[in-house]
Amino acid sequence: MTNPNTRKVTANLSLTLDGRYNGPGGPGDLSAIIPYVTTDVARDHMTRMRENATTALLGRVNAEGFLGFWPSVAADENADPRDRGYAKWLVDTEKVVLSTTLTEAPWERARIVNAPVADVVADLKATGTGDILVNSSTSVIKALLAEDLLDRLYLLICPEIAGGGDRLFEDGLPGTKWTLAHHETGKLGETAVVYDRAR
């Protein structure tokens, strides 16, 4: 029997129907995803994923990108309350940034760790409470999938085929089974799904 107080490692990502998190134009090509991430279903999904999370685990690229965006949303009284709620959570929560190059943390309440993701997750699970959330840091999510260390996946499936770009689920991952914990479909055909790892 598992300990109910064990921290879950969760991850969130938006994907096209062909399983890509960007288009053929490279990391900045989000044309098949952007129309769907500001819908009610997507925003409610973002709220759901942070509700039990007390630590954000980020890669360097996302940490630096988020720093340029989310603090201004947290301060914007006219922002959607769900966006603002996530932004405030991210600014205020503990952030662990995985990096081999950074020497100083780019955020307040953040620390840099240069270690294998499996070791970092083991340390985080041994200390503290609450979920550990990896939001859109694909390098971290891929490493966790490869080690079978993810307990929950929050996916927003966008109803477009990108036809090229980077995939989340690469060949060679360990075979795993997941159970559907939640699903909801929006007016544009976007579907928010939550899968729990069956262990």
Side-chain angles (χ1 to χ4, degrees):
M1 187 171 159
T2 58
N3 181 342
N5 297 319
T6 299
R7 303 186 80 178
K8 284 184 183 172
V9 183
T10 70
N12 172 67
L13 197 61
S14 298
L15 298 175
T16 60
L17 286 179
D18 51 344
R20 303 178 193 274
Y21 53 87
N22 57 42
D29 181 359
L30 303 174
S31 58
I33 290 174
I34 291 295
Y36 309 99
V37 296
T38 55
T39 65
D40 283 336
V41 163
R43 283 180 159 133
D44 290 344
H45 193 55
M46 187 165 62
T47 299
R48 194 176 300 112
M49 74 181 187
R50 72 165 168 86
E51 283 178 331
N52 297 316
T54 56
T55 301
L57 181 58
L58 300 163
R60 177 190 60 81
V61 173
N62 264 29
E64 292 178 332
F66 284 3
L67 180 59
F69 180 74
W70 287 111
S72 62
V73 176
D76 182 359
E77 293 182 5
N78 296 314
D80 184 285
R82 294 162 294 187
D83 293 351
R84 200 166 181 214
Y86 173 77
K88 286 181 170 181
W89 172 84
L90 186 62
V91 168
D92 293 340
T93 201
E94 172 193 32
K95 290 166 285 293
V96 177
V97 180
L98 296 170
S99 177
T100 59
T101 56
L102 288 178
T103 54
E104 290 186 19
W107 290 70
E108 290 182 23
R109 287 177 285 288
R111 60 189 169 96
I112 306 297
V113 179
N114 180 358
V117 69
D119 295 346
V120 174
V121 164
D123 288 345
L124 287 172
K125 288 185 87 163
T127 59
T129 58
D131 291 353
I132 301 157
L133 172 63
V134 184
N135 185 14
S136 304
S137 289
T138 53
S139 61
V140 180
I141 296 171
K142 286 183 174 188
L144 291 168
L145 284 168
E147 300 274 352
D148 191 17
L149 291 173
L150 276 180
D151 301 304
R152 174 169 277 190
L153 268 172
Y154 293 90
L155 299 175
L156 182 72
I157 308 302
C158 305
E160 296 194 22
I161 293 174
D166 295 314
R167 293 181 188 275
L168 175 61
F169 302 109
E170 306 275 2
D171 286 349
L173 288 174
T176 54
K177 184 176 180 181
W178 299 75
T179 58
L180 183 66
H182 180 87
H183 77 283
E184 186 177 358
T185 302
K187 293 177 182 175
L188 300 178
E190 76 282 10
T191 302
V193 291
V194 181
Y195 285 106
D196 286 333
R197 175 75 173 91
R199 298 190 189 276

